[in-house]
Amino acid sequence: ATVRLYNYRQISDKVAAVTGTQEVINKAGRKSQMAYEMAKRSQELKRDVETRLCGNYASAAGNATTEPECAGIEAFIATNDDFGAGGASPVGADGTAGRTDGTQRAFTETSLKNALQLAWAAGGNPDMIMVGGWNKQVMSSFSGNAARTIDAGEQKLVASIKVYASDFGDIKVVASRFSRSRSALILDSSLWKFAVLRDFTVSDLAKSGDYTRKQLLVEYTLQASNEKGNAGVFDLTTS
């Protein structure tokens, strides 16, 4: 029988304020200061959203005094998770509780293979391994990549893993600045969705003195279609 999972939606925003003087003076490299500020706010907001979606954040319903918050990926992956001593899987299927961190340990190819096999056996088809910078380098030293290649024409030494050819298919390896460095997320991307209630919109705010203000806002959540098709190796060392 199917079960309806849920997650709370979250509102994230950025506000840019520009003085009348800043907007009309002759600027180096740009015509409009407000357009420049809004472009920066757009990048900031997208980074905030990605950090939330990829992190160990629990959901919250919100009330009259606190805002609702959506859960991140780590608050859903509970079936196929490999974690350190003292760690614990998130409780429930709705992201209302994040996972409990355990003792950090080294990332090994054995732990990766075990997690991959669990996700595949549960019906998933993982196509992405998302890791932080340190553990991306650790992956590149796995035994499967022991034989380095050199392209003499381009004078390039290939020393990294971009695709991990597992027993269950080729999986893209992605270094992420926005997921936690202590986690290796093994994802079937077809089972996750960036669900938007109100897409990225720009609104003019009330003028304050000589300032013109604009707000960039998005209302969104993470849709977890089936966490059992995914896996994770958690509590990894990061240095």
Side-chain angles (χ1 to χ4, degrees):
T2 57
V3 177
R4 184 183 293 278
L5 304 181
Y6 67 91
N7 195 357
Y8 293 104
R9 85 285 186 282
Q10 176 169 329
I11 299 172
S12 297
D13 78 315
K14 294 288 181 180
V15 174
V18 174
T19 66
T21 302
Q22 288 176 313
E23 189 63 18
V24 301
I25 61 175
N26 185 10
K27 297 169 285 294
R30 55 187 176 275
K31 182 178 180 180
S32 169
Q33 185 67 23
M34 177 58 78
Y36 174 69
E37 294 297 331
M38 289 302 293
K40 292 196 297 180
R41 298 301 184 278
S42 176
Q43 291 179 329
E44 291 173 7
L45 184 56
K46 290 175 182 177
R47 287 167 179 256
D48 287 353
V49 169
E50 188 168 353
T51 299
R52 183 77 195 187
L53 298 182
C54 294
N56 184 32
Y57 297 101
S59 65
N63 52 42
T65 57
T66 61
E67 66 279 359
E69 298 179 349
C70 74
I73 286 177
E74 290 197 30
F76 285 103
I77 297 177
T79 304
N80 309 312
D81 55 348
D82 180 309
F83 47 82
S89 304
V91 179
D94 51 19
T96 53
R99 63 182 314 103
T100 301
D101 288 335
T103 303
Q104 290 178 263
R105 69 272 164 75
F107 188 22
T108 66
E109 192 168 5
T110 298
S111 61
L112 174 64
K113 287 182 175 181
N114 289 340
L116 274 170
Q117 190 273 332
L118 290 173
W120 179 84
N125 294 294
D127 55 12
M128 178 186 300
I129 300 171
M130 185 182 296
V131 289
W134 174 266
N135 285 304
K136 175 63 171 68
Q137 292 182 312
V138 171
M139 273 204 70
S140 293
S141 67
F142 283 173
S143 59
N145 198 37
R148 309 297 181 176
T149 61
I150 297 177
D151 188 325
E154 295 186 10
Q155 297 182 339
K156 180 172 68 175
L157 171 65
V158 179
S160 68
I161 292 178
K162 294 182 179 179
V163 176
Y164 184 77
S166 76
D167 292 318
F168 312 106
D170 291 349
I171 306 173
K172 182 168 61 175
V173 181
V174 177
S176 172
R177 295 186 177 96
F178 308 108
S179 60
R180 294 204 300 170
S181 298
R182 62 185 291 142
S183 304
L185 304 177
I186 302 165
L187 307 175
D188 181 338
S189 59
S190 69
L191 301 178
W192 303 95
K193 182 180 179 181
F194 175 51
V196 176
L197 182 61
R198 286 187 290 166
D199 209 344
F200 291 90
T201 56
V202 177
S203 302
D204 293 325
L205 299 180
K207 191 175 176 64
S208 176
D210 190 34
Y211 281 92
T212 298
R213 301 188 302 152
K214 289 183 180 289
Q215 178 192 50
L216 177 61
L217 178 145
V218 63
E219 188 169 5
Y220 66 96
T221 194
L222 174 66
Q223 178 179 316
S225 300
N226 187 348
E227 65 84 18
K228 292 181 180 180
N230 304 271
V233 184
F234 302 98
D235 304 322
L236 304 176
T237 53
T238 58
S239 62

